Amino acid sequence: MEIVSVPRSVWQAMKNGLRRRCPDCGKGQVFKSYIKVNHTCDACGLELHHQRADDAPPYFTMLIVLHFVLSGMLTVEQVYSPATWIQLTIWMPVSLVSALWLLPRIKGALIGIQWARQMHGFGGDFT
């Protein structure tokens, strides 16, 4: 007997993860605190403890934030040439707020990708 896995939408799982929702049902919360993953989805019961989004979310967050911030810093420097303290006053808070806002969303999206690709124990739906 051949085991065939049910296809899962990567894009829908990523969208649910970006919203910090369960990759399967899109209703339950993925996180019980800032980036602490729930053991199971409170809406559909999907086991979420299989996820292995360890170092990737901070890496992608830094990559995105630093591209945005460095582009902004260079543009402001070229156009206005403000003092260094003004640049720091602008870009340090922007960096901090952007990184804190993006991190759980990126981690949720990566958990969604893992679920959709049936990685790390998420391959439980077979027909």
Side-chain angles (χ1 to χ4, degrees):
M1 174 186 236
E2 183 179 331
I3 298 175
V4 179
S5 63
V6 177
R8 299 172 178 170
S9 171
V10 174
W11 294 111
Q12 186 61 46
M14 279 182 64
K15 284 192 327 192
N16 289 340
L18 285 169
R19 292 178 25 235
R20 296 172 295 160
R21 302 283 183 192
C22 172
D24 189 14
C25 69
K27 295 177 182 144
Q29 296 288 327
V30 171
F31 303 111
K32 59 181 158 187
S33 61
Y34 180 61
I35 56 172
K36 179 73 173 164
V37 179
N38 277 326
H39 186 72
T40 58
C41 172
D42 52 355
C44 70
L46 175 69
E47 292 183 352
L48 297 167
H49 63 88
H50 300 294
Q51 63 84 23
R52 295 290 176 258
D54 300 324
D55 294 336
Y59 174 78
F60 288 125
T61 300
M62 288 187 300
L63 187 70
I64 293 167
V65 170
L66 288 175
H67 275 84
F68 170 72
V69 169
L70 286 175
S71 298
M73 281 178 63
L74 291 173
T75 301
V76 169
E77 184 63 35
Q78 289 291 321
V79 174
Y80 301 108
S81 295
T84 303
W85 71 269
I86 294 174
Q87 286 276 41
L88 289 172
T89 303
I90 295 169
W91 298 109
M92 291 296 283
V94 168
S95 300
L96 179 66
V97 170
S98 299
L100 291 175
W101 186 82
L102 272 175
L103 183 60
R105 287 157 178 82
I106 291 174
K107 185 170 183 174
L110 288 171
I111 291 170
I113 292 170
Q114 290 176 13
W115 174 81
R117 295 288 183 180
Q118 301 182 12
M119 299 167 63
H120 308 298
F122 281 120
D125 292 339
F126 294 110
T127 55

